[in-house]
Amino acid sequence: MTATQAPQARVGGMGLLIGSKFASTVAYATSWVLLPLYVYQASGSAFLTALASAANVLPFLLFGLLAGAAVDRSSPVRVMAWTEVANAAVLLCVPLLAATVGAGPIVLCAIGFASATAYVWFDVASAALVPALAGTDGVFRANSYLWMTTTVLTAVAAPVGYFLLDALRLGPTFGVLAACYLVSAVLIAAIRPRPDTAGPTRPEPGAVWAGVKYLAAHPLLRTYTTVNVGVGVSAGAVYGMMVVFASRALGLPSDDYRVAWIVAASGVGALLGAIAARRFKNVPPIPAARWMTGLDLALLLAYAAAPSWQLAAALLLCWNTVHTCFLVVGISVRQTVTPQRLQGRVNAIGRMIVWGSVPLGTLLCGALTEVAGPRWALAALGAFALASLVTALRAPSALTMEKPPLQKAET
């Protein structure tokens, strides 16, 4: 049985994976919103609040490569199930502490770091599992559904989190989120993937760096990875400074309802991009990267120059449609051309690039905004998207997602 076949037996497995991702994203996205919020309410410290937010980003940069090697050596299903149980145990510490000695800001930052660390292994393993369940022919469609799910849930995480915190208080709220992780673990445990999806039983020499070497030696993956760095930095400028841009460039108070419409437009664009990504399955990857990177840059610059909030919202919707579509296409390309034995490690690198470049773009844009204003800061960060476009234009158009014969036999 080859990975390009999509037998009916795998359909149920993909449904279980989407269900698991649903439950896990509810817990992860909501806790990501609530922990910095509660830390700020309890301490009033901007530094501790930033530390609580950074606790969600740092684990991927610290442990991504290790998680990739662990997933490839074990079974993605086993890794996902156990890390969800571990995450539930971590979150259950919150109601336990709240009911006894109390949950202080430093303790909550530590809990956030531990939860995000467990999520690293889950996220890497889920990316490695997609081609095993969906088959190569179904990767684009599967990622489209997964991103649609996470996009919608991430958009509603803030209001859901505020409601739970107000209605149940801190301890019971995190008890509910822990239950979501347990539901995810049960769904994952029910998946029965092909037996050859597990990695080698013995340690490989240089196993941690094998994914880096494979990616660096693969022309198409090397091109997409380089392009993603620049696009990610410029995207961080847009995402991280959205409210600041609305306030300083468009003259809207931070609590104005129109700011919410601008943020909502970004969310709608992400959903549309996830839906559109499945259409690129048979599109040559390099021309697709050129067109989407070019549109990404043009729409970013137009958004930076938008004179009104209505036009800014419309341009942001279009920009995030293109940007999210390119992200999902890039993930699908990576999963399609990577042999199963390296899925964890190669996808971990891709995730590390996203989690590293986006915060970098936010920090750079924030610093430039204080000097030159939000419009010029956004335009300046567009230079990273321009560098990505140049990289895509210089790449050979003939690069395809076709695997070498040896890789075909492995998958």
Side-chain angles (χ1 to χ4, degrees):
M1 182 184 294
T2 65
T4 55
Q5 294 173 321
Q8 190 67 29
R10 294 196 213 160
V11 175
M14 199 63 227
L16 289 169
L17 177 60
I18 292 173
S20 169
K21 197 77 170 179
F22 183 100
S24 189
T25 303
V26 168
Y28 184 72
T30 306
S31 62
W32 194 344
V33 170
L34 289 185
L35 283 174
L37 169 67
Y38 192 81
V39 166
Y40 185 71
Q41 289 178 345
S43 67
S45 169
F47 173 76
L48 288 177
T49 303
L51 186 62
S53 297
N56 289 286
V57 177
L58 287 176
F60 231 118
L61 302 179
L62 294 174
F63 307 120
L65 288 176
L66 294 175
V71 167
D72 286 337
R73 186 180 174 189
S74 181
S75 158
V77 170
R78 187 180 303 117
V79 172
M80 292 170 70
W82 280 111
T83 52
E84 291 296 78
V85 172
N87 225 332
V90 169
L91 292 195
L92 285 174
C93 292
V94 176
L96 179 62
L97 291 171
T100 54
V101 298
I106 298 294
V107 173
L108 289 178
C109 289
I111 288 173
F113 182 84
S115 176
T117 299
Y119 190 79
V120 170
W121 267 260
F122 174 85
D123 194 52
V124 171
S126 66
L129 188 58
V130 168
L133 294 178
T136 302
D137 286 344
V139 161
F140 279 77
R141 179 176 294 274
N143 282 318
S144 176
Y145 285 129
L146 287 169
W147 271 73
M148 287 165 58
T149 301
T150 56
T151 297
V152 171
L153 292 176
T154 302
V156 303
V160 168
Y162 282 110
F163 171 78
L164 288 174
L165 193 59
D166 182 63
L168 302 178
R169 300 303 178 188
L170 183 68
T173 295
F174 276 83
V176 171
L177 299 182
C180 290
Y181 277 130
L182 291 177
V183 170
S184 173
V186 170
L187 292 173
I188 284 297
I191 294 177
R192 297 292 180 267
R194 291 182 296 125
D196 60 336
T197 57
T201 56
R202 296 181 180 179
E204 300 173 272
V208 172
W209 298 102
V212 177
K213 294 176 181 177
Y214 179 82
L215 189 150
H218 196 292
L220 179 59
L221 288 185
R222 188 172 61 243
T223 299
Y224 260 75
T225 301
T226 306
V227 169
N228 264 318
V229 172
V231 169
V233 173
S234 62
V238 177
Y239 289 136
M241 303 299 292
M242 209 175 294
V243 175
V244 174
F245 183 84
S247 175
R248 297 193 185 183
L250 301 175
L252 302 177
S254 58
D255 59 351
D256 194 299
Y257 76 93
R258 290 170 290 186
V259 177
W261 280 110
I262 293 173
V263 175
S266 175
V268 172
L271 180 60
L272 293 176
I275 294 172
R278 72 185 74 173
R279 306 294 182 186
F280 284 79
K281 173 186 170 184
N282 297 316
V283 177
I286 294 300
R290 291 170 180 168
W291 279 103
M292 284 191 280
T293 308
L295 284 173
D296 186 297
L297 174 61
L299 289 167
L300 185 152
L301 295 176
Y303 168 69
S308 66
W309 75 269
Q310 296 96 329
L311 184 57
L315 289 169
L316 186 60
L317 185 152
C318 295
W319 172 84
N320 212 16
T321 298
V322 174
H323 179 74
T324 303
C325 183
F326 179 67
L327 282 181
V328 180
V329 169
I331 292 169
S332 301
V333 167
R334 189 166 64 236
Q335 291 170 332
T336 299
V337 303
T338 301
Q340 188 63 43
R341 63 182 178 82
L342 290 171
Q343 284 287 342
R345 283 164 283 186
V346 173
N347 280 292
I349 297 166
R351 294 290 206 272
M352 289 172 68
I353 287 170
V354 172
W355 285 80
S357 59
V358 171
L360 176 61
T362 300
L363 290 173
L364 289 175
C365 191
L368 285 174
T369 296
E370 297 300 329
V371 177
R375 294 188 186 277
W376 283 109
L378 268 179
L381 268 294
F384 288 90
L386 176 61
S388 292
L389 176 59
V390 171
T391 299
L393 289 172
R394 294 182 63 184
S397 300
L399 294 180
T400 69
M401 290 184 284
E402 185 70 17
K403 295 182 180 181
L406 179 59
Q407 283 185 221
K408 289 181 181 179
E410 289 177 351
T411 56

